[in-house]
Amino acid sequence: MPLTGMAFGGDYNPEQWDEETWKEDDELMRQARVNLVTVGVFSWALLEPEEGRYEFGWLDAQLERLHANGVRVDLATPTASPPPWFTLAHPEAMPVTADGTRLTHGSRDTYCLAAPAYRRAAVRIAGALAERYGDHPAVAMWHIHNEYATVCHCEQSAAAFRVWLRARHGSLDALNEAWGTAFWSQRYGSWEQIMPPRATQWHLNPGHTLDFRRFWSDEALAAYREQRDAVRRHIPAAVPVTTNLMLPGYQNLDLWAFGREVDFVGIDHYMDAPGVDGDADTAFGADRARSFGGGRPWLLIEQGTNTVYLPDRVLPKDPGRILRSSLAHIARGSDGALFFQWRQSRAGAELWHSAMVPHAGPDTRIFRETAATGAAVAALEEVAGSTVTAEAAVLHDADAWWALDTNGMPSSELDYPATLKRAHRALWDAGVTTDFAHPESDLSRYRLVLAPSLYLVSDAGAASLRRYVEGGGTLLVQYFSGVVDEHHRVRTGGYPGALREVLGIRGEEHRPLAAGDAVALSDGSAGTLWSEDLRTEGAEAVTSYAAGPLSGKPAVTRYGFGAGTGWYVSTRLADAAYRALVGRVLAESGVRPEVAGLPAGVEAVRRRAADGRSWLFVINNTERQVPVSVRGRDLLAARAVPPEGLTVPAGGVAVVREE
Ligand code: GAL
């Protein structure tokens, strides 16, 4: 079940403030059109000050207040930050890093998800909250935990890992075979000999590390389910339960699996670059969020009002950006926009993280832009529940990501998330709405599928890609794909292993390039990072290597297979050549931009309702105004689009209910 309507608001931590401030909050929330706040995410120590003793009085009062003010509550279980009494009573539930360091409290997220004491305590507080507030009229949704992501290498993790391994492999013989333990004398003679991949002398076994990552994702999902079920027992069927997923540059969760278990997908998204790269990153996050939930409406649960997180500093957002990036998420299927957090903290670890009400108070650009964004979201109420359709997809697979993220790869520049982002960016630049898809899913609804770096592909994934191309799809596969199976074992006989047939090629040698080196190609461009010694087996060479030992051999190939086409790119093309290639496959497969002829940096995305209505979102990330030919009602301006057409100002947004 979805959340109803468009949500606007953020994390609300009234426990950090006094009564005076709460009064101001009530008034400011009204001004900003806040209608949903996340409460209680980090309140465990206040809610359960001692094991088994609850203090709900303060939360009762807060929920009453919010309800009286017409603000709905996203009630969170506080389990991402156990109180100090918990640590002291259960030192064995504190996480251990790969090098054997046991962490202690003083930050947050410090627990071992596999520790029975932690799991029991988490389910207990979640159940107690749900029992108390299950019928509370303010509570519109439940928010389990916060950003599941931690892993642990302790003895309890080891025990849980072994149980997981038995279920996965059935027998020790099968595990030894899957992991290739004949290499380096790693054969396991009993389950107890298997450890988490802790600090060791040199490379770890790649099958072992891959399974450990799968195990942790499953463990986190089990922890989520347990809490969800404990909450579900006490709440009305129509109230949704979810968690806030983070989509960082690393991946500890199989987000497809989480997408199946939540009532709707919720994500946290913090912009990682200024300028248009940040806008492209917003679309990258939003398109993934929608896809993990199977296309259903989802919710942006956290973003920063004024934070652009770079590795070494936090930049402010340009004026106008709070609105623009909130609506960029809504354009791609979010039914609302929430922030972390309502009021900027004056103490604690995140006192410099931006908020809807900054330290300087409401008489500020940030609060004014926040309130204007609240008004804009309110004007989009009719859009809630509608969905986004894409004709192109990028494959996204946790196993492929984890497998490539292993020691001992032929090049340290192989970077799964970067290749995903690049593929998505090429489609974004072309104005094409893009889904992400799992290789084993039914791909037949897409005209074009990009497979950037599908290093690991399961037999089922390979069969699915074959069916897709055979049935008429266009598949563009990039270097170093298809080469290992689900256990991280090489598919012998030639690269790209499982995809040879569909691509009509056979590779005999990977030839990574030295850092900074390039290899000339027959179209005048050059490849970097990687090259492959390939021959065609039915495919046509579209571009060939033009220098060096591979001179004259195919670099980019195209093969008609069944009713479709399989393309292969064996090197990292330069940006312009890559964009040109993506442009060619888009044209060949008949995928068109949402609105033709828009300048680079202007996004157009459509949401469609089951009753045939549609809304065109135009997001102008450039410094010039842009005319768009569309007819209908301009929802933000609250008037019909004038006969001469729509003009979207520099850095502005328009949403038109189309005629
Ligand atoms: C999120 C997290 C919030 C807050 C925010 C700002 O990832 O869920 O609790 O920490 O980042 O850093």
Side-chain angles (χ1 to χ4, degrees):
M1 65 296 319
L3 188 67
T4 47
M6 277 288 165
F8 186 73
D11 280 49
Y12 183 43
N13 299 303
E15 62 269 41
Q16 297 174 14
W17 301 98
D18 55 16
E19 208 161 337
E20 193 78 348
T21 315
W22 300 337
K23 284 202 192 110
E24 194 191 42
D25 289 342
D26 292 344
E27 171 51 29
L28 296 179
M29 284 189 190
R30 258 192 300 276
Q31 284 179 28
R33 314 281 292 256
V34 166
N35 64 14
L36 182 72
V37 292
T38 303
V39 176
V41 195
F42 294 108
S43 307
W44 196 345
L46 289 189
L47 291 168
E48 192 182 2
E50 287 168 42
E51 179 154 357
R53 182 169 71 77
Y54 300 111
E55 281 190 4
F56 289 127
W58 69 271
L59 187 54
D60 295 349
Q62 293 299 337
L63 295 195
E64 284 316 314
R65 243 190 69 227
L66 290 163
H67 187 53
N69 289 314
V71 178
R72 297 176 298 168
V73 170
D74 164 25
L75 193 55
T77 67
T79 51
S81 201
W85 61 253
F86 175 82
T87 318
L88 298 176
H90 301 285
E92 83 292 353
M94 291 297 101
V96 173
T97 58
D99 68 0
T101 307
R102 193 180 282 280
L103 307 182
T104 187
H105 64 248
S107 181
R108 66 170 183 194
D109 294 306
T110 315
Y111 46 78
C112 166
L113 267 183
Y118 169 78
R119 292 278 278 272
R120 276 195 304 272
V123 169
R124 202 176 59 226
I125 181 75
L129 270 172
E131 201 177 336
R132 186 159 188 106
Y133 300 110
D135 292 323
H136 198 291
V139 179
M141 63 178 271
W142 285 79
H143 175 302
I144 304 295
H145 200 81
N146 189 70
E147 297 182 337
Y148 281 103
T150 54
V151 303
C152 172
H153 297 73
C154 74
E155 279 309 308
Q156 293 173 105
S157 306
F161 182 39
R162 291 177 198 125
V163 170
W164 184 94
L165 288 170
R166 276 176 193 253
R168 178 168 176 86
H169 294 281
S171 71
L172 263 186
D173 283 347
L175 177 141
N176 280 307
E177 177 60 25
W179 289 5
T181 56
F183 194 73
W184 282 355
S185 179
Q186 290 178 343
R187 185 172 183 83
Y188 293 106
S190 77
W191 295 99
E192 287 63 41
Q193 293 170 0
I194 303 172
M195 302 293 167
R198 295 178 177 149
T200 186
Q201 191 67 297
W202 202 39
H203 292 336
L204 286 152
N205 178 303
H208 182 185
T209 51
L210 174 60
D211 272 351
F212 192 64
R213 300 189 80 164
R214 289 175 169 142
F215 155 70
W216 268 116
S217 179
D218 284 357
E219 195 66 22
L221 190 59
Y224 168 77
R225 277 206 212 102
E226 232 166 64
Q227 280 201 45
R228 177 200 61 194
D229 296 348
V231 165
R232 186 50 69 218
R233 269 196 288 285
H234 301 286
I235 69 172
V239 173
V241 184
T242 190
T243 184
N244 54 334
L245 300 167
M246 206 190 358
L247 309 180
Y250 59 89
Q251 169 137 352
N252 284 348
L253 304 179
D254 175 355
L255 295 165
W256 296 110
F258 268 82
R260 287 189 290 270
E261 296 287 340
V262 291
D263 289 330
F264 60 81
V265 166
I267 64 156
D268 297 348
H269 189 263
Y270 289 92
M271 200 171 259
D272 71 352
V276 83
D277 290 345
D279 301 309
D281 179 60
T282 294
F284 180 57
D287 286 339
R288 280 185 292 163
R290 183 183 65 252
S291 304
F292 296 139
R296 291 170 294 160
W298 52 278
L299 184 61
L300 174 65
I301 292 184
E302 288 182 26
Q303 61 174 331
T305 51
N306 200 33
T307 29
V308 179
Y309 275 114
L310 305 191
D312 63 339
R313 70 202 63 209
V314 184
L315 299 182
K317 285 187 183 169
D318 293 333
R321 194 121 211 199
I322 297 178
L323 173 68
R324 203 164 82 236
S325 48
S326 296
L327 265 54
H329 288 97
I330 294 176
R332 294 171 190 277
S334 177
D335 273 359
L338 310 184
F339 297 83
F340 178 87
Q341 58 179 334
W342 166 250
R343 203 177 262 280
Q344 192 169 20
S345 298
R346 102 183 125 200
E350 295 203 304
L351 74 176
W352 294 118
H353 185 85
S354 67
M356 301 165 81
V357 183
H359 290 145
D363 183 12
T364 48
R365 171 185 76 86
I366 293 174
F367 183 71
R368 280 187 287 277
E369 287 196 25
T370 299
T373 303
V377 172
L380 302 184
E381 185 62 26
E382 64 180 57
V383 179
S386 61
T387 55
V388 174
T389 321
E391 293 186 326
V394 174
L395 297 184
H396 187 305
D397 181 17
D399 284 342
W401 184 327
W402 290 329
L404 197 64
D405 185 19
T406 299
N407 308 136
M409 286 292 117
S411 168
S412 66
E413 282 187 74
L414 293 164
D415 181 338
Y416 188 80
T419 60
L420 281 194
K421 206 167 174 173
R422 189 172 196 237
H424 180 268
R425 176 67 183 263
L427 296 168
W428 188 82
D429 284 336
V432 168
T433 305
T434 301
D435 277 351
F436 288 85
H438 191 274
E440 292 173 22
S441 68
D442 176 12
L443 301 169
S444 61
R445 84 185 103 133
Y446 301 112
R447 291 170 181 269
L448 174 64
V449 170
L450 305 191
S453 209
L454 196 62
Y455 168 64
L456 176 154
V457 64
S458 64
D459 292 350
S464 161
L465 294 176
R466 185 196 155 101
R467 266 195 311 278
Y468 169 67
V469 179
E470 213 165 23
T474 300
L475 176 68
L476 174 62
V477 178
Q478 194 165 287
Y479 54 86
F480 206 32
S481 287
V483 294
V484 301
D485 70 8
E486 60 167 310
H487 300 299
H488 206 150
R489 290 180 309 199
V490 171
R491 296 174 181 281
T492 52
Y495 310 123
L499 305 174
R500 268 174 53 195
E501 205 191 342
V502 127
L503 299 171
I505 52 177
R506 178 170 176 276
E508 63 180 83
E509 198 185 330
H510 294 136
R511 300 183 59 90
L513 300 181
D517 271 9
V519 54
L521 302 175
S522 59
D523 63 359
S525 73
T528 53
L529 199 155
W530 196 260
S531 62
E532 294 182 16
D533 185 346
L534 282 185
R535 68 171 184 241
T536 55
E537 287 187 344
E540 112 198 45
V542 175
T543 308
S544 303
Y545 290 100
L550 298 180
S551 194
K553 295 196 173 179
V556 178
T557 62
R558 178 181 183 280
Y559 182 48
F561 180 77
T565 311
W567 286 79
Y568 190 66
V569 185
S570 65
T571 181
R572 186 181 193 279
L573 296 178
D575 286 345
Y578 183 58
R579 260 201 303 271
L581 175 64
V582 169
R584 178 165 170 194
V585 294
L586 281 168
E588 270 191 29
S589 58
V591 178
R592 281 186 303 271
E594 203 76 56
V595 170
L598 290 179
V602 180
E603 299 172 70
V605 190
R606 238 178 218 104
R607 287 187 65 162
R608 293 185 164 86
D611 63 12
R613 283 175 306 159
S614 67
W615 295 268
L616 183 70
F617 285 69
V618 183
I619 300 155
N620 184 356
N621 303 307
T622 74
E623 284 166 11
R624 290 186 181 184
Q625 63 173 39
V626 57
V628 182
S629 75
V630 54
R631 288 152 66 100
R633 184 162 177 83
D634 179 338
L635 297 185
L636 300 181
R639 56 154 198 245
V641 172
E644 66 275 17
L646 181 75
T647 302
V648 186
V653 191
V655 183
V656 175
R657 186 205 312 131
E658 297 174 288
E659 258 164 28

